[in-house]
Amino acid sequence: MKDEINKIKEEAMGEIKTLNNMEELEELRIKFLGKKGKLTKVLRGMGKLSNDERPVIGQMANEVRRDIEKEINNTRKRLKREIQKKKLEKERIDISIPGKNFILGHRHPLVKTIEELENIFMNMGFSVVYGPEVETVENNFDELNSPENHPSRDLTDTFYITEDILLRTHTSPVQIRVMKENKPPLRIVSAGRTFRFDDVDDTHSPMFHQLEGLVVDENITMANLKETIDTFIKELFGEDMKTRFRPHYFPFTEPSAEVDVSCFNCKGKGCEECNGTGWSMELLGCGMVNPKVLKNCGIDPDKYSGFAFGLGIDRIAMVKYGIDNIRLLFENDMRFLEQF
Ligand code: PHE
């Protein structure tokens, strides 16, 4: 029996050295000292011993039990230390490592251009309003006095969603919305996306941006229109820029004009870019609001008159930022956008 007890002790002490975690330690405790453990089992056989042997073996067994318990406690402490050490190593913070770089975004050149345009007009007393990109045929064409046979109404020119709903081909339907919902005096600009069935090239895209302007009040004349456009162009491109109004036709304005401005490159002297004319062509369309359109929106054309204009924002952004290809504005290549 003595041998058996000694063997158990040796076995326990040997195994305990190889342990790596708390679970294994607990298993070992149960295996040797638990109710059904090895030592307990041996002690159960003590009844067979003689009266002399019993206290000797009992004492010995108790000592072994204490030894094993002591070793288990020591091992528990050792494991605790080791686990903590590993954890500390793993979670160590190296304050010498460079920090993570935050990529700070910034505004797209088109958005910057829109904000600049809106600011100029706000300073001139205009309000900024918004209109939907999905419009009714009524607002986009009918109310704007565009005849049934107007080419821009064609299926090959315009993205129709249903027969009556389309992607707006210009920002002019915002005029209709504003005039129907408000009473003069009106002074608004509205920027946003517009859509036409254009093939993509360096200056064309089926999705592009326009800014619409509308003024309606008593006694508004062509002189107010010219002064407003001229002031705007000078604010945007500089005092030395000139404007030129050429007669044109739009169904919703009468009379109508297209506006050219001094060549951005030579400022009017004449260079290769402007074919020696000194003018940049067709920067915007404008005119006096057709009385029929006023009437369509419930505004008395005998009392009120107004002017409207529409300009291409993408072209202005390209001139402002020296971008020679409209595609660059929509591809969203970070290498391009980071330059602005
Ligand atoms: N909507 C016209 C276009 O897209 C521009 C325009 C707006 C002309 C307002 C006159 C008045 O070409």
Side-chain angles (χ1 to χ4, degrees), residues 144 169-173 175 194 196 208 210-213 248-250 252-253 256-258 284-288 307-311:
L144 285 164
T169 60
H170 50 178
T171 42
S172 297
Q175 288 183 38
T194 48
R196 287 178 202 175
F208 56 105
Q210 284 192 337
L211 179 122
E212 191 80 11
H248 199 73
Y249 169 76
F250 296 106
F252 35 94
T253 47
S256 305
E258 263 189 347
L284 61 91
C286 63
M288 301 308 291
F307 67 78
F309 54 89
L311 57 91

Side-chain angles (χ1 to χ4, degrees), residues 235-247:
E235 281 288 321
L236 184 63
F237 291 116
E239 276 299 317
D240 48 352
M241 295 295 277
K242 290 197 174 70
T243 47
R244 176 172 81 174
F245 289 67
R246 274 183 295 103

